[in-house]
Amino acid sequence: MNSTLVEVRNLKKHFPSPAGPVKAVDGVNLKIEKGTSFGLVGESGCGKSTLIRVMLKLLEPTDGKVFFRGKDITGYGFRQMRPLRKEMAMVFQDPHLALNPRMTVFDIISRPLKIHGLARGKGELMVQVVETLKAMGLQTEHMIRFPHELSGGQKQRIGVARALVVEPEIIFLDEPTSALDVSVQTKILKLLDKARRERDLTFFFISHDINLIRVVADTMGVMYLGKIVETGPKEILLEDPHHPYTRGLFAAVPEPDPDKIITEIKLTGEVPSPVNPPDGCNFNPRCPYVQSRCREIEPELKELADGRSVACHLY
Ligand SMILES: Nc1ncnc2c1ncn2[C@@H]1O[C@H](COP(=O)(O)OP(=O)(O)OP(=O)(O)O)[C@@H](O)[C@H]1O
Ligand SMILES: [Mg+2]
C-alpha cells in the first residue's frame, strides 16, 4: 500500500521581472508516493528546476502548499527545515559546480553526516563514507582526491553519494546525468536504481529527456509552461498518452517498438513566454484540437478511471 510522502497543492513561483512576473511554476499539483520513482519530464524553461527548489524550500513559493509526510511545511523557516534536509536530499544537475573545489571527497561526503550528527568520531565517519563510495562504484582511494582530479562521471557519483550517505527518505534529482556521456549516464542510472531498491528510497527525477524518464521512473509527470498537464503510471502514459502536448512530446522521440503507433501530433510553434501565458489552457495556441472553451477556461487536472490524471477539456 502506497502512502504519500510529498504533496504539492496549487504551487506557484512567480519571479519579478521588468516585463511583469515570470510565472515559472504556476499552479502545480502532484503527489509522490513512498517507494516510487517519479519522473517529471518537460522542455527547457518549463519550470522543472524552480519546482524542485520550491518543493525543497530553497525558494519561497508565491502561493500554494508543500506537504511532507502529511505535514504542511510551506511556512517552515531555515531552522524548521534543518532536520528535514536529512530526509529530503538533492542531487544537482552540474557536478562541476555542485562540489566545493577546495574540499576532498571525504570532506564532501562526510559533511552532511557531521551537520546532522549522524556519526560518532572519525572512525564511524570513515566507515559510512567508504560504504557509500562503494555503493556508487568508487574506491577508498578516491577519498583523498579533490573534485578537479575526478572525471565528470566520478564527480556525479560523489554528488549522489553525498545525498545517499544520510539515508534520506527521498532524493530530488535535477537532470542528474545531462552533463555526462551516454555510457556514463547509463552506469550512474543503474547504480541509482540499485541504491533505491536496496535502501527503499523514493526518487523525484526531473529531466527534459524522455528516454531517461522512461528508464528510471515508475510514475511519470509531464510539465508544460509551469503546469503539470498529465501524470500517472509510466506504462499507461507511454502506451496511450492523452494530453495533446504529451502526445507531441512523445512523438518527437524515436519509438523503439516500430509496431506501436502513437497518434502523431507534431509540436509546432514556440512555447509562449511564462510572462504572458495564454488564457484558458496554456497549450491552446499549439494544440491541433483547440476549441473555443480552451481559450477561455483553464482545464483542471482530472483523475481518470485508468489511474492517470490529465488537464485537457477533451477528457
Ligand atoms: N531567479 C529567476 N529569476 C527570474 N526568472 C527565473 C529565475 N529562475 C528561473 N526563471 C525563469 O523561470 C522559467 C523556468 O525556469 P527553470 O530553470 O525552472 O526551467 P527548467 O524547466 O528547469 O529548464 P531547463 O530544462 O533548461 O533546466 C524560465 O523562464 C526561467 O527563465
Ligand atoms: Mg532546470
Side-chain angles (χ1 to χ4, degrees), residues 44-45 47-50 53 93 174-175 206:
S44 178
K48 304 179 297 293
S49 298
T50 306
R53 283 167 196 278
Q93 173 167 9
D174 186 347
E175 307 262 11
I206 56 172

Side-chain angles (χ1 to χ4, degrees), residues 195-226:
R196 186 173 74 84
R197 286 168 204 282
E198 285 173 0
R199 294 159 195 242
D200 193 25
L201 283 165
T202 306
F203 281 171
F204 183 71
F205 278 95
I206 56 172
S207 180
H208 65 280
D209 182 356
I210 295 173
N211 283 325
L212 183 143
I213 298 296
R214 213 200 285 263
V215 173
V216 299
D218 45 42
T219 310
M220 263 180 96
V222 179
M223 191 166 182
Y224 181 74
L225 208 58

Side-chain angles (χ1 to χ4, degrees), residues 11-27:
L11 200 64
K12 294 186 183 172
K13 180 67 191 177
H14 296 177
F15 296 106
S17 88
V22 180
K23 297 171 182 165
V25 173
D26 202 24

Side-chain angles (χ1 to χ4, degrees), residues 105-106 126 129-131 133-134 137-145:
V105 167
F106 175 80
M126 193 73 89
V129 171
V130 169
E131 192 195 304
L133 276 175
K134 283 199 176 137
L138 294 163
Q139 280 84 46
T140 315
E141 72 230 33
H142 288 114
M143 276 199 306
I144 52 165
R145 303 255 184 99

